Amino acid sequence: MPSLDDVTRPPGRPPRILYGGDWNPEQWPEETWTEDVRLMRRAGVDSVTLGVFSWSRIEPAPGAREFGWLDRLMDLTHAHGIGVVLATPTSSPPPWLGRLHPETLPRDEDGRTEWWGSRQHFSHSSEAYRRYAAAITEDLAARYADHPALTMWHINNEYCTHDWGDEAARTFRRWLRHRYGTLDALNTAWGTDFWSQRYGDWAEVLPPRRAHYLKNPAHVLDFRRYTSDQLLECFRAERDIVRRHTPHLPVTTNFMPFWSGQDGWAWAAEEDVVSVDVYPDPRDPAAGAYNAMIGDLTRSQAGGGPWMVMEQAAGAVNWRGVNHPKPYGLNRLWALQAVAHGADAVCYFQWRQSRQGAEKFHSGMLGHTGERGRVFQETVRVGQDLARIGPRVAGGRVTADIAVLHDWNSWWAGDQDGKPSRRIDHAEIVRAWHRALWDAHLPVSFAHPHHDLGAHRLVLAPHLHLLDDRAVTNLLGYVHGGGTLVCGFLTGIADHDDRIRPGGMDARLRDLLGIDLLQEWWPLDVGEHVDCGTFRGTLWSEELTPAPGAETVAAYRGGELDGLPAVLRNGRAWYVSTLPEPAALSRLLAGVAREAGARPVLDGLPPGVEAVRRGDLLFLLHHGRDQVTVPLPGCHRDLLTGADTDGTLTLDRYGVAVLEERGPEPVPAAGERP
Ligand code: GLA
């Protein structure tokens, strides 16, 4: 499959970073459309996503087709040199579908119906939904396959529905039969002898609906796996239809960022381009680190190659309790930060801010204030910057010596009720470890525990509650092959069915990490901490006996755990049995990284300045508001300003530099005038 840039770039034009957003012109009178494309051109927008929520417009009644308006839009965008990412409109069925086929409406855990009137009210398992979705996808693909504006397909939107209803019960059983073959195997995997849950007939197996007390965790885990697979089946069905019509065009669906609902590795493998929607809170001091993590994860899902920001907000969103705008410069900083982390497309929800509907208070690239508004001025500025750097940046790769292991199965198994501490939050732990590396300016990728890890000097497993045998073998092979591994607490405690391993952790992993006995877990409450000598541990602590030969690098001091290892080392395998406070975790991981030969991008960076290498370019991103001076050895030219550096670089608030290294100035030949 060709690259994103290959297929979306008009012939004869240099490589570029795609720039644009969702455009919902069906919400506006047609006179507005020409104004829109004029302003898009002014802003350098070269891509729009059309049709995301257009099902009731295209199919106002069952089987009807109204394509005229979309024909005109496709022609209009093409005439203005703007490419179209065309969406299948299947995430928001028209009201008539629910009326004619109530079984297309999903049921929640309590059996309540999710009615039309919002969006995403479809059951992934409903045959009627799938039939109508396939039909409209087929007709859309047939109609626009040869349209010159079409550059890419966008299937559905943020697949995230659940269904606990009867349609789901039917397909859940089918999924389970496929997985287990027999009810006996299912009973064994789920441990149904606990609380008399043994199933005697497939008809007794239901989605994990509202129940009196704690549910069977293996049942819940399988339901999450099944839900991800069901939605993936919906995606594949539509993807295969559009591929049949346009085998040369890439297909994507937009992920929510670091979201637990879909197995992100399995899904990414089914896409041609991986795209993500990312909406950090402008008020969150950790938002820069969060964006970096989303970039690193999405790039890793894309196999290390370019990916796409499908959506972000130009200003405020409308779905937090309190929705803050982005201060001047922050939109640009985050857009360029995504590019630094490997994005070859920077897009927004949405182009023109709506005047009606549930998102009328959500910003757009072109806000209610229009062309003179600050947000639009920044839209123009971002477009100019992307145009400047695009030809040098697009297609460039970001590499990292360090991999963070992440697996959705572990997330699903680990984040359930009935565990030693409700405070354990998989996402927060992964985020804390990634943040620690980000603070130390260490480039990071993500990997699945089954991936070949050989290219990485250091591998971190912050919180892999569930590790199957293959993953354990992989980690052992990695360390025996010369790699360095750091595991966080609760890693490897359960097998693929979420069955606790004898001894509280996989025995081979215990040997590797130098743990003789895992005695007791001592979770920590809010505000509680443990003294670990040079740092404080939070959230968790453990009573463990080290194996002979293992080195206690940091020990708990005082209390029940006095003298026991908080950080344990067994050769190149490390175990961290608490969550060190942020600065301490960063120091610890940076030290291990140094020893493993993983180097920071730059030394001596002022706080809040991020450095990322993409291809042969160096991005410096200033996440703070006070002017800073960055020491920068060597000669560089900033592609954004054209200015040369002379050993230092000054960045204003939210400032960015995209630097290309320049060779030494040529020495004038004798007799030549300098
Ligand atoms: C998601 C959706 C968009 C829009 C935005 C608002 O990303 O895909 O349609 O609702 O949220 O932030």
Side-chain angles (χ1 to χ4, degrees), residues 110-130:
D110 293 326
R112 293 175 305 198
T113 302
E114 289 185 1
W115 297 95
W116 59 89
S118 178
R119 65 178 183 187
Q120 281 146 337
H121 47 282
F122 65 88
S123 164
H124 47 53
S125 293
S126 154
E127 280 165 6
Y129 165 75
R130 288 191 181 200

Side-chain angles (χ1 to χ4, degrees), residues 53 119 157-158 254 277 279 311 319 349 359 362:
F53 297 110
R119 65 178 183 187
N157 189 66
E158 292 189 340
N254 48 338
D277 303 343
Y279 291 98
E311 293 180 21
W319 40 260
F349 175 84
E359 292 182 326
H362 191 294

Side-chain angles (χ1 to χ4, degrees), residues 529-597:
H529 63 266
V530 276
D531 180 359
C532 304
T534 53
F535 65 88
R536 298 199 314 178
T538 62
L539 195 65
W540 192 258
S541 58
E542 269 173 25
E543 186 178 341
L544 67 84
T545 319
E551 179 194 344
T552 298
V553 176
Y556 295 113
R557 283 197 185 163
E560 290 292 325
L561 307 180
D562 190 41
L564 296 181
V567 179
L568 184 68
R569 169 179 196 176
N570 192 31
R572 285 188 310 278
W574 297 65
Y575 183 66
V576 187
S577 69
T578 182
L579 182 67
E581 284 181 327
L585 184 59
S586 188
R587 270 197 314 276
L588 172 71
L589 297 181
V592 181
R594 202 176 315 115
E595 198 183 305

Side-chain angles (χ1 to χ4, degrees), residues 297-437:
L297 176 61
T298 313
R299 185 187 68 248
S300 306
Q301 289 174 274
W307 53 280
M308 191 169 177
V309 179
M310 184 63 86
E311 293 180 21
Q312 57 186 325
V317 299
N318 70 324
W319 40 260
R320 291 198 170 90
V322 177
N323 298 294
H324 294 282
K326 289 182 172 170
Y328 180 78
L330 193 61
N331 177 22
R332 173 178 182 264
L333 170 69
W334 287 354
L336 293 170
Q337 187 189 15
V339 175
H341 285 266
D344 266 4
V346 171
C347 301
Y348 291 78
F349 175 84
Q350 58 179 329
W351 161 253
R352 187 188 273 274
Q353 183 172 11
S354 301
R355 286 183 56 209
Q356 291 181 293
E359 292 182 326
K360 59 183 181 288
F361 296 116
H362 191 294
S363 62
M365 299 166 85
L366 178 66
H368 292 153
T369 323
E371 207 173 341
R372 290 178 52 230
R374 167 173 70 84
V375 171
F376 183 72
Q377 299 304 318
E378 291 193 76
T379 296
V380 173
R381 188 173 178 217
V382 172
Q384 288 166 346
D385 286 338
L386 294 177
R388 260 180 220 125
I389 64 171
R392 281 285 279 110
V393 177
R397 290 178 85 90
V398 180
T399 55
D401 286 333
I402 304 177
V404 172
L405 299 181
H406 171 63
D407 174 24
W408 271 265
N409 283 272
S410 251
W411 195 346
W412 297 330
D415 273 8
Q416 294 196 34
D417 285 339
K419 59 188 182 184
S421 167
R422 283 218 175 117
R423 297 188 64 222
I424 296 298
D425 176 335
H426 174 97
E428 284 307 309
I429 295 171
V430 173
R431 209 173 150 175
W433 281 53
H434 182 277
R435 170 77 198 254
L437 298 162

Side-chain angles (χ1 to χ4, degrees), residues 25 80 122 129 146 186 219 267 362 383 425 429 449 480 482 507 525 547 632 662:
H80 289 81
F122 65 88
Y129 165 75
D146 297 324
L186 179 143
H219 181 185
W267 277 71
H362 191 294
D425 176 335
I429 295 171
H480 293 144
D525 221 322
L632 191 65
R662 310 188 60 216

